[in-house]
Amino acid sequence: MNFQKSWKDNNFKKTWHQHKIGKTPGTKEKITWKTVLFNPLTLKLVGIAFLLFLIFSVGFFVWISRDLPNPNQLMERQISQSTKIYDRTGENILYDIHGDEQRTMIELKDLPNYVKWSSIAIEDKDFYHHKGISIWGIIRGVVWQTIRGQRVQGGSTLTQQFVKNAILTSERSVIRKAKEWILSYKLEKKFSKDEILQMYLNEIPYGSTAYGVEAAARRYFNISAKDLSLAQAAVLAALPQAPSYYSTHRDALIGRQRKVLSNMLEQGYITEEEEEKARNEEIKLAPPQANIIAPHFVMYVKEILTEKYGEKTVEQGGLKIYTTLDLYKQTIAEEAVNIWWEKNKDPKNEQSTTLGAGNASLVSIDPKTGQILAMIGSRDYFNDEIDGQVNVATAPRQPGSSLKPLVYATLFTKGFTPNSILYDVITNFSADKNKPYEPKNYNFKEYGPIQIKKALGGSLNIPAVKATYLAGLDAVVSLAEKFGYTTLEDKERFGLSFALGGAEVKLLEHTNAYGVFAREGKYHPIAAILKVEDASGKILEEWKPEEKDVLDQNVARMVNDVLSDNSNRAYIFGEYNTLTLPSRPVAAKTGTTNDYRDAWTMGYTPSLVTGVWVGNNDNSKMKSGASGGSSAAPIWNYYMKKVLGDTPVEEFKKPEIPKTGKPILDGEVTGAPVKIDKITGLLATEFTPPELIEEKIYREHHSILYYIDKDDPLGPAPTNPGKDPQFEEWESRIQEWAKKLAASSTDSSIINFIATGTAPTGYDDVHLPENKPTVKINQPENNSVLTEKYLTTNILAEAKRGLAYVRYYINGNLFIEKSGNFFNLDRQPIDFLSGGYHNLKVQACDDAWNCAEASVEFNLVAPDEPQRDFSATIAWPVNGLALSPVDFPANIKVEIDNPAGVARVEVILRQGENNQTLGQFYPAGQADNAFLWRKPEPNQYILYGKAYGWNGEIKTTNEVPVIVN
């Protein structure tokens, strides 16, 4: 029978069966699994395979065992070598994990029983029943994890843990695990269980160079292990699983201590009363004594390395670890936090500030690489009163509004723009009317129709929740995960409150995520380590740049443009705020939780991103008003200003704002322009004075859902907007707001690029022909001759509404204004005029600016000519003065020599080649004059003036350079 040919013919099964039962081809026989499994050929193949496996296994274990330590020489120790952690230059040692490990031997009989049982309960409840290894542990920790493609982990008995920590390394591999099994088995053959347990308790690392339970008891509680309480013993039993982590994360340590106590109760080692007493016992840990620079960063690095190489290698392996820390920036960060603390320290509470905050954290990252440049996890690492060893930089906290840029970035990817209009009116976003969700703005105001750039810049809450709905929470969280956030899995828990800080984030990840905006959409993984060398100089790992595009470049630029434009936030934070830096563009965003538990400031330039958190480690509330802008921003501002110093100024690249063709998305005002009379608020007419006419554009007020489909915003307008589950609530609230606004007699606080309310239908009924005054000049008569330099008038003027004032102009310049019933001039001096013809104009007006004019010419025949020479000088501001927003409005002071000769003065502002007339004033013979200057845009300007004489002369003042910040 040719089996090879039959196999190639894909007829092996049939041929096999026919061969074994002696049938000829064509004979039909039913094939069952028993037929195949128990036929002689199958049994032979299985036997051969088992024999080969047995031979291989024996050979493998012989090969593995060839260089294993002798259990009889177990206690002969290798000399530990110093591990050093450096800053990024490699010249400054941040921490020297030297060979001063604290190790004091103690016998098992001298320890309280609960010290022994606490370790067994949490680490290996079957310790006294196995032979050094656990078959189920092997299956779960090695075989099953390997099948699933995961790293080898877990399943270790207490004996194995001793072998791993005292003899072998913590390398994660099957071979190392096999060595561990063999040694554990040999150890169990050589020593008794109590001897192994005693060695374990004297060898195991407990963190902070404390090896063994006696050293750990003295390190953490300043007592001997003989004197440990049950609660303290449970704390020590909790440490060995991850000493570097648990020794610096108190909350996690106490949580695991509770697990130890629970296990001891469940396994019958303690009673319920003993467990309850231990749970309620206050745990006071002794502060660390080591001399560490940047301790939170150092411990963060140590945790990373311990996870990779094991506690023993990191503590005793003589590693050289070169980190990313910039020691100069770290020093400035510490200085910024200390200055903030000293400035705001509460004299009534030495562990808190006047803001009610006891702690602060700062992270600064190079967004081009993701490398950590500075890290402060808590204000004082060595202060137990504030839980100083807790690294807030890596702890989840609620970010408040500092997550809003992520929401709006997601919205921009769907086609919205910074100009798109959302309505900021109080809205219920909950489908359950009995449990409404109606977020309010920080200042409890409503701003009506507002552009996204203003909503984000001013950190308005209501538009942000609408933006979350429009963007889609799934899309927002998906983008967040691409930005590197690892704490946002439970989306259902925070829902639409995501934009207001309903989720928790880590300051470290939050800061690095803002780096994506700084680098225009490119994500770089967080890096803390540049290089690790072992004791022989071999490089174990070295940082390599990684970069991934996670956000459209133009979308990132749009976010940068909004956050770096101070005018977008000035209406809330004021022109002068701590989110700006002098002479340098910077993007920034604050965040504050509703209950003032967390305050944040996140800000960046294209090359440096820094995040600051302020609050309390125990999550207690700060005082009302302790916002990100008032508490965290001063730290951020001090650090950024000093670190950036005189480094080259970097500009954010301007985005291209797309035109969608949809007015609501493009921020365009719909409707026709309407000319309004300022006095009456009605439609202007041909009789309305030009200076009283203003132009407004009125629009109908509708929710954005009226115009766009949120799932296809650039597509056709919805034919039935009511299908959207949020439409009815959004629309009804907007209509209620519009009605209230229309009925209000006062202007709203809207950022007014759109007129509010309904356009008036009536016409100006004040500026009518019948209301226009009449005026006639009886004296002087037209072309009369004056021989003295005095002017006497006889004016006949009337007004239906009554006269408000009469103004006299000579040669087009205001000469004098008279109000009341006595408006004639009686021998008014005009000695500033030269001889010849002059024009006299009289203007009579009522209280509504209805005016009438009349004019005459007169010939002045004077025996002497007036002094025509005059000059004008800008006395303030002085040359090169730098003005900040708090200096405005400001009085420009103009000094005039021979003021009688000056009819009027124009004040002019020049920027580049552009000249802007700020206004004019009439000195009326005064030598010292002041002109009110409203705040211009920040820039460098030249300020000057022009003085006009009564007889046509023009003199230019001095030019004054002025810087407006």
Side-chain angles (χ1 to χ4, degrees), residues 343-363:
K343 183 178 180 181
N344 298 285
K345 189 161 55 177
D346 188 346
K348 298 178 182 179
N349 181 1
E350 62 181 15
Q351 299 301 335
S352 183
T353 66
T354 53
L355 299 166
N359 210 356
S361 181
L362 181 150
V363 170

Side-chain angles (χ1 to χ4, degrees), residues 908-942:
I908 304 167
L909 199 63
R910 185 170 74 235
Q911 197 277 314
E913 298 181 355
N914 299 320
N915 288 283
Q916 175 191 356
T917 300
L918 297 180
Q920 61 185 7
F921 65 90
Y922 303 91
Q926 299 182 76
D928 296 323
N929 299 269
F931 176 81
L932 193 63
W933 183 18
R934 304 290 179 184
K935 182 186 179 304
E937 291 296 321
N939 216 320
Q940 295 183 1
Y941 296 97
I942 299 295

Side-chain angles (χ1 to χ4, degrees), residues 600-840:
W600 306 68
T601 293
M602 315 296 296
Y604 56 94
T605 69
S607 294
L608 185 68
V609 55
T610 302
V612 175
W613 168 90
V614 166
N616 294 300
N617 278 21
D618 62 2
N619 205 34
S620 59
K621 295 180 181 180
M622 295 180 286
K623 293 181 181 178
S624 179
S627 64
S630 64
S631 56
I635 300 175
W636 175 87
N637 187 276
Y638 181 94
Y639 172 82
M640 292 290 281
K641 187 185 298 181
K642 195 156 187 179
V643 163
L644 291 170
D646 57 358
T647 58
V649 174
E650 295 179 281
E651 301 284 345
F652 291 105
K653 294 180 179 177
K654 286 292 182 182
E656 294 181 8
I657 307 298
K659 282 287 186 180
T660 68
K662 291 176 174 279
I664 194 75
L665 296 182
D666 295 334
E668 297 173 356
V669 179
T670 57
V674 179
K675 292 182 178 180
I676 305 296
D677 169 40
K678 292 181 181 178
I679 298 248
T680 64
L682 300 174
L683 297 173
T685 69
E686 59 182 302
F687 305 111
T688 305
E691 60 269 27
L692 294 182
I693 295 176
E694 66 176 346
E695 190 173 86
K696 287 187 176 182
I697 299 177
Y698 288 84
R699 58 167 292 179
E700 293 183 0
H701 296 290
H702 289 296
S703 158
I704 195 170
L705 297 173
Y706 182 88
Y707 301 101
I708 62 105
D709 178 348
K710 75 176 182 65
D711 297 322
D712 185 18
L714 299 181
T719 55
N720 182 10
K723 287 184 177 180
D724 191 292
Q726 288 281 331
F727 174 78
E728 182 180 347
E729 180 64 24
W730 291 22
E731 184 72 8
S732 64
R733 293 300 182 98
I734 289 172
Q735 297 308 318
E736 289 175 14
W737 168 85
K739 288 178 182 178
K740 286 190 295 183
L741 188 66
S744 174
S745 59
T746 59
D747 193 13
S748 74
S749 56
I750 289 175
I751 312 306
N752 221 346
F753 67 94
I754 298 174
T756 61
T758 306
T761 56
Y763 288 90
D764 176 9
D765 55 3
V766 170
H767 302 102
L768 302 173
E770 56 266 31
N771 288 341
K772 190 173 183 179
T774 60
V775 60
K776 180 181 180 182
I777 302 174
N778 291 326
Q779 182 186 358
E781 295 180 356
N782 192 33
N783 293 321
S784 60
V785 176
L786 302 183
T787 57
E788 293 183 301
K789 289 196 173 183
Y790 296 99
L791 182 62
T792 298
T793 64
N794 182 355
I795 307 299
L796 181 62
E798 292 181 323
K800 186 177 180 179
R801 296 171 61 94
L803 285 177
Y805 59 85
V806 173
R807 288 174 177 169
Y808 291 85
Y809 295 84
I810 295 179
N811 299 332
N813 297 310
L814 181 64
F815 168 47
I816 195 170
E817 180 179 307
K818 302 281 283 185
S819 59
N821 296 323
F822 304 99
F823 44 79
N824 282 311
L825 304 181
D826 185 16
R827 292 184 61 80
Q828 184 73 30
I830 52 173
D831 51 3
F832 49 83
L833 292 178
S834 61
Y837 278 91
H838 299 279
N839 177 266
L840 173 66

Side-chain angles (χ1 to χ4, degrees), residues 300-579:
Y300 172 72
V301 169
K302 189 168 178 281
E303 284 178 32
I304 294 173
L305 294 174
T306 300
E307 179 69 16
K308 288 182 181 179
Y309 304 111
E311 196 85 23
K312 180 181 177 183
T313 300
V314 173
E315 293 279 359
Q316 306 176 37
L319 304 180
K320 288 186 177 180
I321 303 157
Y322 300 91
T323 70
T324 62
L325 192 86
D326 185 318
L327 194 52
Y328 168 73
K329 291 181 175 63
Q330 177 70 20
T331 302
I332 299 304
E334 293 171 358
E335 183 179 296
V337 171
N338 288 333
I339 287 176
W340 164 81
W341 170 251
E342 292 299 327
K343 183 178 180 181
N344 298 285
K345 189 161 55 177
D346 188 346
K348 298 178 182 179
N349 181 1
E350 62 181 15
Q351 299 301 335
S352 183
T353 66
T354 53
L355 299 166
N359 210 356
S361 181
L362 181 150
V363 170
S364 191
I365 288 178
D366 179 353
K368 300 185 298 296
T369 61
Q371 294 177 6
I372 302 171
L373 303 176
M375 176 190 282
I376 295 178
S378 290
R379 173 173 57 83
D380 183 357
Y381 181 83
F382 300 98
N383 187 343
D384 280 345
E385 295 296 325
I386 62 167
D387 294 329
Q389 292 181 49
V390 173
N391 189 350
V392 182
T394 60
R397 303 290 298 224
Q398 288 196 342
S401 295
S402 61
L403 266 180
K404 288 175 182 173
L406 189 73
V407 172
Y408 285 108
T410 311
L411 201 59
F412 293 161
T413 63
K414 295 184 70 172
F416 293 76
T417 80
N419 295 329
S420 298
I421 300 168
L422 296 175
Y423 271 80
D424 179 52
V425 297
I426 295 175
T427 305
N428 175 27
F429 295 95
S430 173
D432 186 348
K433 300 297 183 181
N434 296 320
K435 295 181 180 179
Y437 173 52
E438 297 184 351
K440 295 177 176 60
N441 293 325
Y442 177 75
N443 58 9
F444 298 102
K445 292 183 179 179
E446 297 174 281
Y447 290 86
I450 191 166
Q451 290 174 303
I452 281 177
K453 61 184 178 183
K454 295 289 186 181
L456 175 55
S459 197
L460 301 183
N461 289 336
I462 302 167
V465 177
K466 289 185 175 181
T468 305
Y469 177 75
L470 294 169
L473 184 59
D474 287 344
V476 175
V477 173
S478 176
L479 183 63
E481 290 171 346
K482 292 177 183 178
F483 274 45
Y485 293 98
T486 61
T487 56
L488 306 176
E489 300 90 353
D490 190 5
K491 291 180 292 188
E492 299 304 320
R493 181 171 56 84
F494 39 79
L496 291 180
S497 68
F498 179 90
L500 310 186
E504 288 84 26
V505 301
K506 299 176 181 179
L507 175 61
L508 179 59
E509 294 177 351
H510 203 27
T511 305
N512 196 51
Y514 268 77
V516 175
F517 295 128
R519 300 314 299 172
E520 298 188 340
K522 297 185 182 300
Y523 168 77
H524 300 86
I526 297 170
I529 300 168
L530 294 177
K531 185 170 63 173
V532 178
E533 295 178 356
D534 66 11
S536 65
K538 177 185 175 182
I539 297 176
L540 301 181
E541 63 176 82
E542 193 165 14
W543 178 81
K544 293 180 180 179
E546 293 182 53
E547 184 176 271
K548 183 165 55 176
D549 289 319
V550 297
L551 184 67
D552 178 81
Q553 183 184 70
N554 195 55
V555 168
R557 288 180 179 178
M558 285 193 279
V559 174
N560 296 340
D561 193 54
V562 172
L563 296 183
S564 62
D565 188 346
N566 193 49
S567 67
N568 288 329
R569 68 173 73 93
Y571 71 101
I572 294 291
F573 294 90
E575 289 285 350
Y576 186 70
N577 55 72
T578 48
L579 301 181

Side-chain angles (χ1 to χ4, degrees), residues 136-351:
W136 169 243
I138 293 173
I139 295 173
R140 178 174 57 86
V142 179
V143 178
W144 180 242
Q145 297 297 337
T146 303
I147 292 173
R148 297 179 63 187
Q150 299 177 356
R151 69 183 186 183
V152 174
Q153 63 178 15
S156 294
T157 65
L158 190 145
T159 308
Q160 289 175 255
Q161 292 180 49
F162 169 66
V163 169
K164 179 179 69 175
N165 285 283
I167 307 173
L168 302 175
T169 68
S170 296
E171 172 195 4
R172 296 182 183 274
S173 69
V174 174
I175 291 178
R176 203 276 300 155
K177 203 70 177 174
K179 291 180 179 181
E180 182 184 297
W181 296 334
I182 296 171
L183 268 178
S184 297
Y185 178 75
K186 288 184 177 182
L187 205 65
E188 293 269 353
K189 300 287 287 183
K190 176 69 179 175
F191 299 101
S192 71
K193 286 287 186 180
D194 281 352
E195 287 175 323
I196 293 172
L197 181 58
Q198 178 172 300
M199 286 188 290
Y200 171 88
L201 291 174
N202 280 294
E203 290 287 330
I204 205 77
Y206 286 87
S208 299
T209 69
Y211 286 78
V213 69
E214 176 68 12
R218 295 187 182 279
R219 157 64 187 87
Y220 293 106
F221 299 113
N222 290 322
I223 59 175
S224 170
K226 301 175 184 178
D227 302 318
L228 288 169
S229 68
L230 171 59
Q232 293 169 332
V235 168
L236 296 188
L239 283 164
Q241 185 190 58
S244 291
Y245 177 78
Y246 285 119
S247 63
T248 56
H249 291 75
R250 181 182 175 87
D251 290 346
L253 176 62
I254 297 302
R256 186 162 169 79
Q257 179 228 27
R258 299 294 173 85
K259 174 64 175 173
V260 173
L261 294 171
S262 176
N263 283 10
M264 292 181 73
L265 175 63
E266 183 181 323
Q267 295 168 30
Y269 297 127
I270 58 175
T271 66
E272 290 185 1
E273 290 76 15
E274 289 172 325
E275 186 211 23
E276 182 68 21
K277 180 181 178 182
R279 281 178 175 270
N280 293 330
E281 182 177 323
E282 183 181 1
I283 300 298
K284 292 185 177 180
L285 301 178
Q289 304 298 320
N291 183 21
I292 313 174
I293 298 174
H296 288 101
F297 176 76
V298 165
M299 292 305 167
Y300 172 72
V301 169
K302 189 168 178 281
E303 284 178 32
I304 294 173
L305 294 174
T306 300
E307 179 69 16
K308 288 182 181 179
Y309 304 111
E311 196 85 23
K312 180 181 177 183
T313 300
V314 173
E315 293 279 359
Q316 306 176 37
L319 304 180
K320 288 186 177 180
I321 303 157
Y322 300 91
T323 70
T324 62
L325 192 86
D326 185 318
L327 194 52
Y328 168 73
K329 291 181 175 63
Q330 177 70 20
T331 302
I332 299 304
E334 293 171 358
E335 183 179 296
V337 171
N338 288 333
I339 287 176
W340 164 81
W341 170 251
E342 292 299 327
K343 183 178 180 181
N344 298 285
K345 189 161 55 177
D346 188 346
K348 298 178 182 179
N349 181 1
E350 62 181 15
Q351 299 301 335

